[in-house]
Amino acid sequence: MKPILSALAGLLAASALTAPALAAPAAAPVAIIHARLLTMGPAGEIADGTLIVRDGKILAVGKGLAVPAGVQVIDAKGAIVTPGLFAPNTVLGVREVNSVKGTDDAKSASADLGAAFDPQYGLNPDSTLVPVARLGGVTRAIVVPAPGGDGEGGGDDGDGSLFDGQVLAIRLAGDLLVKPRLAVAMRFGENGAGGSRGAEIGLLRARLDEVRLYKQNRAAYDRGETRDLKLSRADLEALIPVVEGREPLLVTVHRAADIRQVLAFAREQRLRVILNGAEEGWRVADEIAAAKVPVILNATADLPRSFEIVGASLRNAARLRAAGVEIAIVSPDPAHRVRELRYEAGSAVAQGLSYAAALEAITIAPARIFGLADQLGSLQPGRAADLVIWDGDPLEPRSLPTAIYVDGAPQPLRSRALDLRDRYESGDGASR
């Protein structure tokens, strides 16, 4: 066995030396001048501003800044420059084709791996969906695992479907992974575990009690001296940061009554939670605000596709924000339509959300919600140099990026879809 392991280790070492580097090479310093900077930071909007990028970070932002020697200068000519957009609920990099199971690494079918399921190991930096999303100005995203098992719904607690898995952050260039284990995802309501809402609350309480018991008696657990626990050791370990309040539960929940139940359970268990979906959130907006719980929502969800969202409203985003709730806006599809994130924000503006709040909901707000605002989401010194130069208003569908930077590196304004379009428009496709 040892010779086999040694040979395998040698092969892995050799492949590591020959594998292409995934991270983008160090970008040259850049200064963008004469730009209308929507910084989403303390500086607010800066007319005719200058932004200087060095070593993948924002070096300086302001008006009338001196540009250091040896820096490439880009004249924005009054164009709007924003932080790269941040999509807060996607399966980018872990799902390619919805109907092809072999391309879907967004969920676990294992009975032993629910909360501990980590999608980072399925990330594909060559996914064709990443450049498509990036062309919509999206430079960062949150990957949220999908419900496990064979279906899209829940199941009983025995199939590991109470928790969906680990939430992580990615960049849309180079080596995708930014930070794993930001939260644990789960569902509550019609698609929750246990077959009913009462059963789900009971199961959830019991499982979290198991985590606390395990945490306090690891040695006894190793000796087999504790009672039998339903969760696997991997899931028990994954949920310790949740019961300690170091990681939130990202709870997909829809109707107002269920939102109240989630908020009450979080208070009882002293948990941090983030609400995902919350189509009827506007009905309990004051309660969500009082609990200081952020909401990730689809701004155009207004059809009563189930009994959980009979009260869905296009004004959900505006009403929640008016009540003081931190909101982040998602795209209409977590894989193939992430590029439409800014359209969703624009639709929310049409329904009463302020322009500033809408842009915030797709830049700095997702970064704050997931604890990344000290690195991402705004144009401030020291932040990652993710930025987009636009040829018009970024929330207008006909506007397009003229330049996109991720960690200070310029990105190609191309995708496989555009390459195929150009090939077949030119008539070259038939010969290839």
Side-chain angles (χ1 to χ4, degrees):
M1 181 64 70
K2 286 184 179 180
I4 294 174
L5 292 176
S6 298
L8 179 59
L11 286 172
L12 290 173
S15 65
L17 290 173
T18 58
L22 294 175
V30 172
I32 300 172
I33 63 173
H34 301 309
R36 180 184 168 194
L37 301 174
L38 305 184
T39 70
M40 310 314 298
E45 179 177 339
I46 304 174
D48 195 17
T50 298
L51 183 148
I52 302 173
V53 172
R54 176 175 287 164
D55 298 327
K57 303 286 186 182
I58 296 173
L59 181 65
V61 178
K63 193 175 180 68
L65 298 179
V67 177
V71 172
Q72 178 190 2
V73 176
I74 298 173
D75 190 344
K77 299 179 180 177
I80 291 175
V81 177
T82 68
L85 307 187
F86 200 143
N89 184 354
T90 78
V91 288
L92 284 175
V94 292
R95 178 182 294 166
E96 199 73 15
V97 181
N98 289 338
S99 58
V100 180
K101 187 176 181 180
T103 70
D104 189 351
D105 283 303
K107 57 188 176 183
S108 168
S110 169
D112 296 323
L113 209 63
F117 168 59
D118 194 339
Q120 69 166 298
Y121 301 107
L123 285 172
N124 176 19
D126 295 320
S127 168
T128 60
L129 302 185
V130 168
V132 173
R134 195 172 59 221
L135 285 173
V138 180
T139 61
R140 304 279 166 158
I142 297 295
V143 174
V144 178
D150 293 330
E152 291 302 313
D156 60 33
D157 188 46
D159 68 5
S161 62
L162 185 59
F163 303 98
D164 295 331
Q166 295 288 325
V167 175
L168 56 99
I170 63 170
R171 65 174 62 80
L172 271 63
D175 185 0
L176 301 184
L177 183 64
V178 172
K179 188 172 183 180
R181 297 182 176 267
L182 294 173
V184 173
M186 64 166 291
R187 289 146 288 110
F188 184 83
E190 287 184 8
N191 290 323
S196 71
R197 291 166 172 86
E200 184 170 16
I201 286 288
L203 287 170
L204 186 56
R205 184 179 288 113
R207 299 301 161 259
L208 295 183
D209 284 346
E210 286 187 357
V211 175
R212 295 183 178 100
L213 173 65
Y214 167 78
K215 175 191 167 188
Q216 295 168 2
N217 299 277
R218 275 192 176 99
Y221 178 90
D222 291 339
R223 295 192 299 268
E225 296 175 357
T226 63
R227 62 178 173 85
D228 288 340
L229 304 182
K230 294 290 186 181
L231 293 175
S232 67
R233 181 168 192 153
D235 281 0
L236 291 167
E237 289 285 352
L239 287 165
I240 287 175
V242 172
V243 299
E244 290 179 341
R246 293 186 286 114
E247 283 182 20
L249 278 176
L250 176 62
V251 185
T252 297
V253 60
H254 306 286
R255 77 180 188 183
D258 292 342
I259 292 170
R260 284 194 175 106
Q261 290 290 349
V262 170
L263 295 179
F265 187 81
R267 285 194 300 271
E268 170 200 314
Q269 297 284 317
R270 298 183 179 180
L271 304 175
R272 293 168 54 207
V273 295
I274 302 166
L275 302 182
N276 181 43
E279 286 84 353
E280 292 191 354
W282 63 272
R283 297 180 58 192
V284 288
D286 290 341
E287 294 170 56
I288 299 172
K292 295 181 171 57
V293 169
V295 173
I296 297 170
L297 58 88
N298 181 341
T300 55
D302 70 328
L303 298 178
R305 292 190 175 93
S306 73
F307 285 105
E308 292 186 298
I309 57 173
V310 170
S313 168
L314 288 174
R315 293 183 60 81
N316 191 31
R319 289 170 172 172
L320 284 167
R321 195 71 190 91
V325 178
E326 173 98 285
I327 64 167
I329 291 175
V330 303
S331 56
D333 177 274
H336 298 86
R337 298 175 64 187
V338 176
R339 65 186 177 84
E340 298 176 30
L341 180 65
R342 61 196 181 94
Y343 306 167
E344 296 291 303
S347 295
V349 174
Q351 297 298 326
L353 186 67
S354 73
Y355 186 96
L359 191 56
E360 183 178 12
I362 56 174
T363 54
I364 187 64
R368 277 199 298 260
I369 289 171
F370 289 98
L372 300 170
D374 61 338
Q375 307 167 45
L376 305 168
S378 61
L379 304 179
Q380 297 185 60
R383 303 304 192 266
D386 285 16
L387 55 102
V388 183
I389 304 175
W390 302 89
D391 66 5
D393 183 336
L395 301 192
E396 288 287 344
R398 295 183 67 180
S399 299
L400 294 170
T402 61
I404 301 170
Y405 292 81
V406 178
D407 288 324
Q411 301 301 311
L413 299 179
R414 302 295 302 175
S415 69
R416 184 170 183 270
L418 292 179
D419 290 343
L420 288 172
R421 179 204 65 184
D422 293 347
R423 176 192 297 183
Y424 288 99
E425 274 189 349
S426 68
D428 292 340
S431 62
R432 299 188 183 186

mmCIF file of all heavy atoms in Angstrom, residues 111-136:
data_model
loop_
_atom_site.group_PDB
_atom_site.id
_atom_site.type_symbol
_atom_site.label_atom_id
_atom_site.label_comp_id
_atom_site.label_asym_id
_atom_site.label_seq_id
_atom_site.Cartn_x
_atom_site.Cartn_y
_atom_site.Cartn_z
ATOM 1 N N ALA A 111 -26.943 10.761 2.580
ATOM 2 C CA ALA A 111 -27.630 10.833 3.866
ATOM 3 C C ALA A 111 -26.706 11.322 4.972
ATOM 4 O O ALA A 111 -27.170 11.759 6.019
ATOM 5 C CB ALA A 111 -28.193 9.457 4.232
ATOM 6 N N ASP A 112 -25.402 11.221 4.764
ATOM 7 C CA ASP A 112 -24.434 11.593 5.798
ATOM 8 C C ASP A 112 -23.864 12.987 5.611
ATOM 9 O O ASP A 112 -23.030 13.425 6.401
ATOM 10 C CB ASP A 112 -23.273 10.588 5.815
ATOM 11 C CG ASP A 112 -23.724 9.193 6.201
ATOM 12 O OD1 ASP A 112 -24.614 9.086 7.065
ATOM 13 O OD2 ASP A 112 -23.196 8.229 5.632
ATOM 14 N N LEU A 113 -24.275 13.666 4.566
ATOM 15 C CA LEU A 113 -23.658 14.950 4.261
ATOM 16 C C LEU A 113 -24.735 15.977 3.903
ATOM 17 O O LEU A 113 -25.160 16.081 2.763
ATOM 18 C CB LEU A 113 -22.680 14.785 3.084
ATOM 19 C CG LEU A 113 -21.502 15.755 3.056
ATOM 20 C CD1 LEU A 113 -20.618 15.560 4.275
ATOM 21 C CD2 LEU A 113 -20.694 15.569 1.797
ATOM 22 N N GLY A 114 -25.178 16.701 4.909
ATOM 23 C CA GLY A 114 -26.135 17.784 4.711
ATOM 24 C C GLY A 114 -25.462 19.111 4.982
ATOM 25 O O GLY A 114 -24.963 19.775 4.085
ATOM 26 N N ALA A 115 -25.394 19.503 6.255
ATOM 27 C CA ALA A 115 -24.759 20.771 6.624
ATOM 28 C C ALA A 115 -23.296 20.817 6.209
ATOM 29 O O ALA A 115 -22.760 21.892 5.927
ATOM 30 C CB ALA A 115 -24.879 20.989 8.134
ATOM 31 N N ALA A 116 -22.635 19.669 6.159
ATOM 32 C CA ALA A 116 -21.208 19.639 5.827
ATOM 33 C C ALA A 116 -20.944 19.611 4.329
ATOM 34 O O ALA A 116 -19.791 19.716 3.903
ATOM 35 C CB ALA A 116 -20.544 18.427 6.471
ATOM 36 N N PHE A 117 -21.983 19.457 3.509
ATOM 37 C CA PHE A 117 -21.775 19.443 2.060
ATOM 38 C C PHE A 117 -21.171 20.770 1.627
ATOM 39 O O PHE A 117 -21.709 21.838 1.889
ATOM 40 C CB PHE A 117 -23.095 19.206 1.328
ATOM 41 C CG PHE A 117 -23.005 19.466 -0.152
ATOM 42 C CD1 PHE A 117 -22.111 18.763 -0.941
ATOM 43 C CD2 PHE A 117 -23.795 20.431 -0.744
ATOM 44 C CE1 PHE A 117 -22.010 19.005 -2.305
ATOM 45 C CE2 PHE A 117 -23.711 20.691 -2.103
ATOM 46 C CZ PHE A 117 -22.819 19.984 -2.891
ATOM 47 N N ASP A 118 -20.032 20.705 0.933
ATOM 48 C CA ASP A 118 -19.283 21.902 0.567
ATOM 49 C C ASP A 118 -19.121 21.967 -0.956
ATOM 50 O O ASP A 118 -18.313 21.236 -1.537
ATOM 51 C CB ASP A 118 -17.909 21.878 1.237
ATOM 52 C CG ASP A 118 -17.206 23.223 1.191
ATOM 53 O OD1 ASP A 118 -17.582 24.046 0.326
ATOM 54 O OD2 ASP A 118 -16.293 23.447 1.992
ATOM 55 N N PRO A 119 -19.861 22.839 -1.635
ATOM 56 C CA PRO A 119 -19.806 22.904 -3.098
ATOM 57 C C PRO A 119 -18.472 23.362 -3.668
ATOM 58 O O PRO A 119 -18.262 23.249 -4.881
ATOM 59 C CB PRO A 119 -20.906 23.925 -3.454
ATOM 60 C CG PRO A 119 -21.743 24.072 -2.240
ATOM 61 C CD PRO A 119 -20.845 23.763 -1.080
ATOM 62 N N GLN A 120 -17.573 23.869 -2.824
ATOM 63 C CA GLN A 120 -16.311 24.394 -3.353
ATOM 64 C C GLN A 120 -15.533 23.343 -4.150
ATOM 65 O O GLN A 120 -14.799 23.672 -5.078
ATOM 66 C CB GLN A 120 -15.432 24.955 -2.243
ATOM 67 C CG GLN A 120 -14.854 23.925 -1.295
ATOM 68 C CD GLN A 120 -13.725 24.480 -0.436
ATOM 69 O OE1 GLN A 120 -12.689 24.900 -0.937
ATOM 70 N NE2 GLN A 120 -13.945 24.480 0.872
ATOM 71 N N TYR A 121 -15.707 22.067 -3.801
ATOM 72 C CA TYR A 121 -14.935 21.025 -4.467
ATOM 73 C C TYR A 121 -15.458 20.703 -5.865
ATOM 74 O O TYR A 121 -14.806 19.967 -6.613
ATOM 75 C CB TYR A 121 -14.902 19.772 -3.586
ATOM 76 C CG TYR A 121 -14.280 20.060 -2.239
ATOM 77 C CD1 TYR A 121 -15.073 20.133 -1.091
ATOM 78 C CD2 TYR A 121 -12.926 20.332 -2.125
ATOM 79 C CE1 TYR A 121 -14.518 20.442 0.142
ATOM 80 C CE2 TYR A 121 -12.361 20.638 -0.892
ATOM 81 C CZ TYR A 121 -13.157 20.696 0.231
ATOM 82 O OH TYR A 121 -12.602 21.009 1.465
ATOM 83 N N GLY A 122 -16.601 21.257 -6.210
ATOM 84 C CA GLY A 122 -17.125 21.083 -7.558
ATOM 85 C C GLY A 122 -16.947 22.302 -8.439
ATOM 86 O O GLY A 122 -17.408 22.309 -9.593
ATOM 87 N N LEU A 123 -16.305 23.345 -7.927
ATOM 88 C CA LEU A 123 -16.154 24.579 -8.707
ATOM 89 C C LEU A 123 -15.365 24.339 -9.992
ATOM 90 O O LEU A 123 -14.294 23.737 -9.975
ATOM 91 C CB LEU A 123 -15.450 25.657 -7.875
ATOM 92 C CG LEU A 123 -16.291 26.336 -6.788
ATOM 93 C CD1 LEU A 123 -15.412 27.235 -5.924
ATOM 94 C CD2 LEU A 123 -17.444 27.129 -7.383
ATOM 95 N N ASN A 124 -15.893 24.835 -11.089
ATOM 96 C CA ASN A 124 -15.261 24.683 -12.391
ATOM 97 C C ASN A 124 -14.903 26.056 -12.950
ATOM 98 O O ASN A 124 -15.775 26.792 -13.416
ATOM 99 C CB ASN A 124 -16.217 23.968 -13.349
ATOM 100 C CG ASN A 124 -15.657 23.862 -14.760
ATOM 101 O OD1 ASN A 124 -14.448 23.988 -14.979
ATOM 102 N ND2 ASN A 124 -16.529 23.647 -15.729
ATOM 103 N N PRO A 125 -13.622 26.431 -12.929
ATOM 104 C CA PRO A 125 -13.234 27.759 -13.430
ATOM 105 C C PRO A 125 -13.449 27.916 -14.927
ATOM 106 O O PRO A 125 -13.438 29.035 -15.438
ATOM 107 C CB PRO A 125 -11.746 27.842 -13.081
ATOM 108 C CG PRO A 125 -11.297 26.427 -12.944
ATOM 109 C CD PRO A 125 -12.473 25.671 -12.411
ATOM 110 N N ASP A 126 -13.667 26.791 -15.647
ATOM 111 C CA ASP A 126 -13.910 26.857 -17.087
ATOM 112 C C ASP A 126 -15.395 26.853 -17.434
ATOM 113 O O ASP A 126 -15.759 26.691 -18.605
ATOM 114 C CB ASP A 126 -13.225 25.680 -17.787
ATOM 115 C CG ASP A 126 -11.712 25.748 -17.667
ATOM 116 O OD1 ASP A 126 -11.173 26.866 -17.769
ATOM 117 O OD2 ASP A 126 -11.086 24.696 -17.452
ATOM 118 N N SER A 127 -16.256 27.017 -16.439
ATOM 119 C CA SER A 127 -17.694 27.054 -16.709
ATOM 120 C C SER A 127 -18.014 28.133 -17.743
ATOM 121 O O SER A 127 -17.560 29.276 -17.634
ATOM 122 C CB SER A 127 -18.469 27.356 -15.427
ATOM 123 O OG SER A 127 -19.817 27.672 -15.709
ATOM 124 N N THR A 128 -18.817 27.784 -18.743
ATOM 125 C CA THR A 128 -19.185 28.759 -19.776
ATOM 126 C C THR A 128 -20.161 29.799 -19.242
ATOM 127 O O THR A 128 -20.357 30.849 -19.873
ATOM 128 C CB THR A 128 -19.827 28.058 -20.985
ATOM 129 O OG1 THR A 128 -21.012 27.372 -20.561
ATOM 130 C CG2 THR A 128 -18.865 27.078 -21.618
ATOM 131 N N LEU A 129 -20.768 29.544 -18.083
ATOM 132 C CA LEU A 129 -21.728 30.495 -17.527
ATOM 133 C C LEU A 129 -21.050 31.661 -16.816
ATOM 134 O O LEU A 129 -21.649 32.716 -16.641
ATOM 135 C CB LEU A 129 -22.673 29.780 -16.560
ATOM 136 C CG LEU A 129 -23.479 28.619 -17.134
ATOM 137 C CD1 LEU A 129 -24.459 28.091 -16.099
ATOM 138 C CD2 LEU A 129 -24.215 29.042 -18.393
ATOM 139 N N VAL A 130 -19.800 31.467 -16.393
ATOM 140 C CA VAL A 130 -19.100 32.534 -15.667
ATOM 141 C C VAL A 130 -18.867 33.761 -16.546
ATOM 142 O O VAL A 130 -19.196 34.889 -16.151
ATOM 143 C CB VAL A 130 -17.794 32.001 -15.057
ATOM 144 C CG1 VAL A 130 -16.916 33.144 -14.559
ATOM 145 C CG2 VAL A 130 -18.105 31.047 -13.908
ATOM 146 N N PRO A 131 -18.313 33.637 -17.764
ATOM 147 C CA PRO A 131 -18.146 34.831 -18.608
ATOM 148 C C PRO A 131 -19.471 35.489 -18.982
ATOM 149 O O PRO A 131 -19.541 36.716 -19.105
ATOM 150 C CB PRO A 131 -17.429 34.289 -19.849
ATOM 151 C CG PRO A 131 -16.771 33.034 -19.408
ATOM 152 C CD PRO A 131 -17.693 32.449 -18.396
ATOM 153 N N VAL A 132 -20.522 34.688 -19.159
ATOM 154 C CA VAL A 132 -21.832 35.263 -19.489
ATOM 155 C C VAL A 132 -22.314 36.158 -18.354
ATOM 156 O O VAL A 132 -22.773 37.288 -18.569
ATOM 157 C CB VAL A 132 -22.854 34.149 -19.781
ATOM 158 C CG1 VAL A 132 -24.254 34.736 -19.953
ATOM 159 C CG2 VAL A 132 -22.461 33.373 -21.032
ATOM 160 N N ALA A 133 -22.207 35.664 -17.122
ATOM 161 C CA ALA A 133 -22.610 36.475 -15.967
ATOM 162 C C ALA A 133 -21.727 37.707 -15.828
ATOM 163 O O ALA A 133 -22.208 38.803 -15.520
ATOM 164 C CB ALA A 133 -22.552 35.629 -14.693
ATOM 165 N N ARG A 134 -20.436 37.530 -16.071
ATOM 166 C CA ARG A 134 -19.494 38.653 -15.930
ATOM 167 C C ARG A 134 -19.807 39.767 -16.916
ATOM 168 O O ARG A 134 -19.622 40.953 -16.608
ATOM 169 C CB ARG A 134 -18.073 38.134 -16.113
ATOM 170 C CG ARG A 134 -16.994 39.106 -15.651
ATOM 171 C CD ARG A 134 -15.628 38.439 -15.696
ATOM 172 N NE ARG A 134 -15.300 37.989 -17.040
ATOM 173 C CZ ARG A 134 -14.697 36.825 -17.316
ATOM 174 N NH1 ARG A 134 -14.371 35.994 -16.341
ATOM 175 N NH2 ARG A 134 -14.414 36.493 -18.567
ATOM 176 N N LEU A 135 -20.285 39.423 -18.092
ATOM 177 C CA LEU A 135 -20.641 40.445 -19.078
ATOM 178 C C LEU A 135 -21.800 41.318 -18.623
ATOM 179 O O LEU A 135 -22.043 42.379 -19.202
ATOM 180 C CB LEU A 135 -20.961 39.797 -20.427
ATOM 181 C CG LEU A 135 -19.750 39.306 -21.221
ATOM 182 C CD1 LEU A 135 -20.193 38.538 -22.456
ATOM 183 C CD2 LEU A 135 -18.861 40.482 -21.611
ATOM 184 N N GLY A 136 -22.522 40.880 -17.611
ATOM 185 C CA GLY A 136 -23.542 41.725 -16.996
ATOM 186 C C GLY A 136 -22.992 42.591 -15.889
ATOM 187 O O GLY A 136 -23.763 43.216 -15.143
#
